[in-house]
Amino acid sequence: MICEMCGKESDIVRTIFLEGAQLKVCKECSRFGESPEGKSSSKKGRGGTAPTRAVVAERLQARERRMRSRDVFQEETVIDLVPDYDKVIRDARMARDLKQDELASRVNEKSSVIAQLENGSMRPSDQLIKKLERELNIKLTERVTLVKPESSKGSRNVLTLGDLIKKEK
Ligand SMILES: [Zn+2]
């Protein structure tokens, strides 16, 4: 099954309700919505704070981009934050046996910032991305090819920007 939120292949999918829509998502994404029983699943897990609405909206937008038509007319490559940056940062920090506050002081941030990055509730700034990449020797960005479909079909050109079709390694 493919997670309808992040698009990853996942053995186990859960049905959640988000903004009134029913979605089948992977375990990781299930914390963004309400379970069918009506209980919020965001309390489970690592005990971090729930992602903000902005994060959720962003993920939905990413999903929408992936599901949009694939009429290819124009491509544009941009550098974007990797979707699993939270895990990448956490894994790299653990691999170096650093505590959150130790990493925080190395990149001149509060440990709460590191905690928020690692539970996905905050995106790092460009500057912080560079510092973390250097400090942990990781890659937090990826090249993403955006496709602009033919724009003559409608007036909503702004919203048709960025149909995401493939990633380059
Ligand atoms: Zn997912």
Side-chain angles (χ1 to χ4, degrees):
M1 295 288 291
I2 288 178
C3 167
E4 292 184 350
M5 192 172 292
C6 69
K8 269 186 232 159
E9 187 77 41
S10 175
D11 293 338
I12 305 158
V13 286
R14 295 183 188 178
T15 302
I16 59 161
F17 291 94
L18 188 67
E19 312 274 324
Q22 189 178 322
L23 298 173
K24 291 199 171 50
V25 301
C26 69
K27 192 160 148 273
E28 202 179 319
C29 293
S30 65
R31 66 195 164 112
F32 290 104
E34 303 278 327
S35 68
E37 294 83 40
K39 287 180 289 195
S40 171
S41 54
S42 62
K43 298 241 157 47
K44 288 181 216 152
R46 303 176 201 145
T49 50
T52 60
R53 287 179 86 81
V55 171
V56 173
E58 205 172 276
R59 297 236 173 173
L60 284 173
Q61 271 173 20
R63 167 181 168 244
E64 200 180 300
R65 281 202 298 271
R66 275 192 289 267
M67 294 193 154
R68 208 92 50 76
S69 89
R70 299 188 173 201
D71 301 337
V72 178
F73 291 93
Q74 211 183 334
E75 293 190 359
E76 184 189 343
T77 301
V78 297
I79 306 295
D80 198 12
L81 187 62
V82 293
D84 58 346
Y85 67 89
D86 47 350
K87 192 172 173 299
V88 174
I89 294 170
R90 188 186 169 85
D91 288 351
R93 176 179 60 76
M94 307 264 264
R96 280 160 184 74
D97 208 18
L98 289 170
K99 295 199 173 69
Q100 285 187 339
D101 60 334
E102 289 171 331
L103 174 59
S105 69
R106 291 189 187 206
V107 295
N108 285 317
E109 292 290 345
K110 292 183 201 150
S111 59
S112 62
V113 170
I114 303 299
Q116 283 178 297
L117 294 176
E118 290 187 2
N119 68 31
S121 63
M122 192 185 101
R123 291 167 67 99
S125 64
D126 288 352
Q127 208 184 5
L128 186 50
I129 287 173
K130 289 201 184 75
K131 281 197 261 184
L132 288 166
E133 286 183 331
R134 210 181 313 137
E135 196 58 47
L136 296 172
N137 193 27
I138 51 175
K139 197 91 184 79
L140 286 175
T141 53
E142 65 187 359
R143 229 168 247 282
V144 173
T145 303
L146 301 177
V147 174
K148 300 176 192 172
E150 198 172 31
S151 59
S152 60
K153 285 177 192 162
S155 55
R156 294 165 34 155
N157 290 349
V158 177
L159 293 177
T160 61
L161 268 178
D163 286 25
L164 189 149
I165 54 153
K166 66 181 178 190
K167 288 175 182 176
E168 294 167 14
K169 280 282 169 193

